[in-house]
Amino acid sequence: MPTERIATIKKMLKLKKGIYLPDVGIEYPTDDPYKRLVPVKKVKDIAFDANYTYLDDSLSFKIQHFLNDFIAFVHLYIVNKIVYGMHYRGREILKKYRKEFSNGVVSICNHCYRYDGAAIAQAFRRHIWIPMLKDHLAGNDAWLLKYFGGIPVPDDLGGMRKFNQAFDELHRRKQWILVFPEARNWYFYKPIKPFKKGAFSMAYKYNIPILPINISYRKRTGIYRLFGKKETPLLTLTIGEPIFPDITRPHKDEVDRLLRESHAAMCEMAGIEENPWPPFWNKDKEL
């Protein structure tokens, strides 16, 4: 019998036949898609302003960056495979659009568990750069996130200029960017929450494609019962078809189109026929 939590979620969305809906014991909000469910404990006092180094080219950074990549691609690969039974689908997309991706991409994904960034880097088999909540770069995972490619989003105008300059330089170097447009990590949540505009504005600014990715869930069975709680689902990461910007159109109109088409693509990839959230959220009003 479904729990009250699952019954509530099932009233909110309609899934295609055979799509698994996990119950991990979390009471998800139904009124605020950007509510933070995973608190970040601040352990460092860092000013993310114009004096912060958003893109570090020092030798020390490069060495620790290499070490972190080693950790992510070895240790976390094992975690994702054994603990979460990670399956990868759609990797052929990376070869099919190799030419179109040669100047970089803005990949997007539902934000649904702790190691989703590492899973995407493993799927790409390359390093990625992630704009993220600045609190994470002052928390317990600061070293891991910074040297994995995390760049804090500041709330200071001087810092924002340096943040933008950092991503301008990354684009010049044809690096790949990952954005979680849902903004908040809700563990193993099935519906696709509303998107913020940052990823789509980046794609328009740099004239590079949006690459939608979805992490979906499977029931924990077989030997995987030995490596995790029965209610924790196994995971499947799917890479979808890219969505290309049309920079001949006005910025606002095109960013809105990219957002809406990406949200619809993510719902389709997740096996969602009717999603409870709109593509965009602004004070209880859909864009």
Side-chain angles (χ1 to χ4, degrees):
M1 294 291 292
T3 66
E4 185 176 344
R5 284 182 294 271
I6 290 298
T8 300
I9 294 176
K10 282 187 173 180
K11 291 179 182 178
M12 296 169 59
L13 83 163
K14 181 179 178 181
L15 300 176
K16 293 181 180 179
K17 185 177 181 180
I19 299 299
Y20 178 60
L21 180 63
D23 178 9
V24 293
I26 297 175
E27 295 288 350
Y28 302 107
T30 58
D31 59 343
D32 181 2
Y34 302 138
K35 184 176 181 179
R36 190 185 303 179
L37 301 187
V38 183
V40 179
K41 182 179 180 181
K42 187 176 180 180
V43 297
K44 297 180 180 179
D45 188 15
I46 302 175
F48 297 103
D49 55 18
N51 296 314
Y52 180 82
T53 303
Y54 292 89
L55 186 59
D56 194 338
D57 283 325
S58 68
L59 178 60
S60 173
F61 179 89
K62 291 177 180 178
I63 292 173
Q64 294 188 76
H65 179 66
F66 172 81
L67 292 174
N68 202 314
D69 273 355
F70 179 80
I71 292 172
F73 281 84
V74 177
H75 171 67
L76 294 184
Y77 181 85
I78 294 171
V79 170
N80 277 327
K81 277 291 188 181
I82 294 179
V83 177
Y84 295 105
M86 180 65 74
H87 289 175
Y88 295 99
R89 294 178 179 172
R91 272 180 167 156
E92 65 276 4
I93 294 291
L94 305 178
K95 294 182 179 180
K96 178 180 177 181
Y97 293 98
R98 183 177 297 169
K99 181 179 179 181
E100 289 82 355
F101 295 166
S102 61
N103 288 323
V105 302
V106 179
S107 53
I108 61 172
C109 185
N110 54 318
H111 204 2
C112 62
Y113 83 117
R114 186 177 184 183
Y115 304 122
D116 41 20
I120 293 165
Q122 289 156 7
F124 290 167
R125 298 190 176 121
R126 64 181 300 146
H127 185 72
I128 51 179
W129 298 88
I130 311 172
M132 62 177 57
L133 187 72
K134 60 185 177 63
D135 293 2
H136 290 301
L137 276 301
N140 289 319
D141 292 334
W143 184 88
L144 178 69
L145 295 173
K146 178 180 179 179
Y147 294 104
F148 184 71
I151 298 180
V153 179
D155 49 19
D156 167 89
L157 288 177
M160 186 56 70
R161 283 194 293 270
K162 291 295 185 69
F163 172 88
N164 289 331
Q165 289 171 8
F167 276 95
D168 289 346
E169 176 60 21
L170 289 173
H171 172 60
R172 189 190 69 79
R173 299 177 188 179
K174 302 180 181 180
Q175 296 294 299
W176 287 28
I177 300 166
L178 167 64
V179 178
F180 294 104
E182 295 177 317
R184 299 291 182 259
N185 185 346
W186 290 8
Y187 280 4
F188 311 118
Y189 187 64
K190 185 61 183 179
I192 304 300
K193 301 195 298 295
F195 288 170
K196 290 183 176 290
K197 291 185 177 182
F200 313 100
S201 186
M202 275 188 174
Y204 183 92
K205 177 182 181 181
Y206 299 134
N207 192 21
I208 54 178
I210 292 286
L211 184 58
I213 298 166
N214 179 255
I215 296 176
S216 57
Y217 315 118
R218 311 187 316 273
K219 188 174 182 179
R220 184 169 292 269
T221 58
I223 194 172
Y224 291 110
R225 289 177 176 269
L226 300 176
F227 304 108
K229 297 178 180 179
K230 64 178 182 179
E231 62 268 21
T232 302
L234 303 178
L235 306 177
T236 299
L237 184 151
T238 303
I239 300 172
E241 289 281 336
I243 301 172
F244 295 90
D246 180 357
I247 61 172
T248 66
R249 300 184 69 213
H251 176 272
K252 181 182 183 303
D253 293 345
E254 185 60 6
V255 167
D256 291 351
R257 180 190 72 85
L258 290 171
L259 185 153
R260 289 181 179 278
E261 289 193 13
S262 297
H263 196 270
M266 293 274 280
C267 289
E268 175 65 26
M269 294 163 69
I272 296 173
E273 294 182 342
E274 294 181 12
N275 194 65
W277 299 103
F280 180 83
W281 187 264
N282 183 16
K283 295 181 179 179
D284 299 332
K285 294 182 180 180
E286 183 181 353
L287 182 68

